[in-house]
Amino acid sequence: MIELTHFQLLSGALFAIGLYGVLARRNAMLVLMSIELMLNAVNINLIGYSSFIKATESYRALGHVLIIFVITIAAAELALAIAIILRLYRNKSSVNTDDINIMKW
Amino acid sequence: MIALVFFYLASAVILGGALTVVLSRNIVYAAFGLIASLSGIAGIFILAFAPFLALVQILIYGGAIVIVIIFALMLTKLEDFRTLSDHKHWPLALVSSLVILGLITSAAFYLPVNLGSRTGVNLSVLAHNLFSQWAIPFEIASLVLLIALIGGVIMVREDK
């Protein structure tokens, strides 16, 4: 039997892997992919709670609605982040996060 | 029982793809790992009786987001980062992500909610919720997408 704990452990593991990628990788594109992994970890947690919680069906549908919003915002965020990365590549010919320090005091 | 087998299969695909993204030395392999991971999450949605979300996941993540990422990799010069190196403080990143993993794992065994059996949500109920109670946030999300579109075009436009 699948339990809610399975969903939560999978979500936590995926979130931790994504966090490691955001912190340890130096390429801006890979940081972006790791952020996508973290957002998807949140989606796994939401779908787990939405399908296991004891409540009315319209109440449980809120989890699905929230997942749709997360996917939408992730798409918008990715488009803008890729635009920024392409712009940085054109200006500094590098996507290494260590080279990008123009906003550092 | 068979659902549990499929759950572990999907988990293996998801975590293996995620580890490929995080650990691979080749950025194209990392993009392929991202495809595997996001498709595995569609399997998790099916196991939670949410076939519509599984469809959306494959359509948007597999069909749009990963393709955009691969196009962005093609537009930047790939030779520059064919072999990738990690940040020199990567053990700190490992420690902090392990701490987060421990916190989430310990929280997973403390569940202050009433749990039922695994059930799905009817698509008509979801649609009724989305277009009545959450109609205004839905419209705002469409505005956010439009603004992101315009902003992306303005940012990557050639300067005159």
Side-chain angles (χ1 to χ4, degrees):
Chain A
M1 278 298 287
I2 304 180
E3 302 287 339
L4 176 57
T5 315
H6 289 107
F7 282 83
Q8 285 184 303
L9 292 181
L10 175 63
S11 158
L14 191 59
F15 192 87
I17 291 173
L19 183 67
Y20 174 78
V22 169
L23 292 176
R25 294 299 237 181
R26 288 198 302 175
N27 188 309
M29 288 303 294
L30 279 166
V31 172
L32 203 56
M33 293 186 206
S34 306
I35 290 174
E36 294 298 321
L37 288 181
M38 290 168 79
L39 286 167
N40 276 283
V42 173
N43 281 352
I44 291 177
N45 208 354
L46 284 173
I47 195 70
Y49 268 101
S50 170
S51 75
F52 277 101
I53 200 168
K54 195 192 281 280
T56 61
E57 194 172 14
S58 76
Y59 189 77
R60 285 191 291 112
L62 297 189
H64 293 233
V65 172
L66 209 48
I67 288 173
I68 290 173
F69 281 125
V70 168
I71 290 176
T72 313
I73 300 302
E77 168 252 330
L78 184 104
L80 280 181
I82 283 183
I84 291 172
I85 289 173
L86 286 180
R87 194 71 201 172
L88 275 172
Y89 182 77
R90 197 180 292 160
N91 286 355
K92 300 176 79 83
S93 33
S94 162
V95 288
N96 193 329
T97 47
D98 288 347
D99 296 341
I100 304 164
N101 51 10
I102 47 176
M103 288 181 75
K104 195 174 165 188
W105 61 92
Chain B
M1 193 60 212
I2 190 105
L4 196 60
V5 173
F6 277 109
F7 185 88
Y8 283 130
L9 209 62
S11 302
V13 171
I14 290 169
L15 295 180
L19 285 174
T20 311
V21 172
V22 168
L23 299 176
S24 169
R25 297 285 117 193
N26 187 324
I27 196 161
V28 181
Y29 291 168
F32 289 153
L34 189 67
I35 295 180
S37 189
L38 299 177
S39 312
I41 288 170
I44 292 293
F45 282 153
I46 288 175
L47 283 175
F49 299 119
F52 174 68
L53 288 180
L55 185 71
V56 166
Q57 175 85 12
I58 288 183
L59 208 65
I60 293 183
Y61 276 108
I65 284 186
V66 177
I67 299 301
V68 167
I69 285 178
I70 290 174
F71 260 99
L73 291 179
M74 287 196 283
L75 289 175
T76 49
K77 207 172 19 167
L78 209 56
E79 289 82 38
D80 285 356
F81 40 81
R82 169 119 341 164
T83 54
L84 301 157
S85 61
D86 280 349
H87 207 274
K88 63 177 180 293
H89 294 307
W90 68 266
L92 279 178
L94 186 63
V95 167
S96 52
S97 63
L98 282 179
V99 167
I100 291 288
L101 178 63
L103 281 176
I104 295 175
T105 308
S106 54
F109 292 103
Y110 173 71
L111 296 171
V113 290
N114 284 328
L115 294 183
S117 58
R118 180 166 55 108
T119 43
V121 172
N122 203 341
L123 189 55
S124 60
V125 177
L126 171 62
H128 187 260
N129 258 277
L130 190 58
F131 291 110
S132 62
Q133 193 180 358
W134 301 96
I136 291 173
F138 187 80
E139 296 299 327
I140 292 173
S142 73
L143 271 182
V144 166
L145 281 176
L146 179 67
I147 291 168
L149 186 71
I150 296 172
V153 170
I154 287 174
M155 256 191 281
V156 296
R157 197 176 50 175
E158 291 286 340
D159 288 329
K160 289 291 180 311

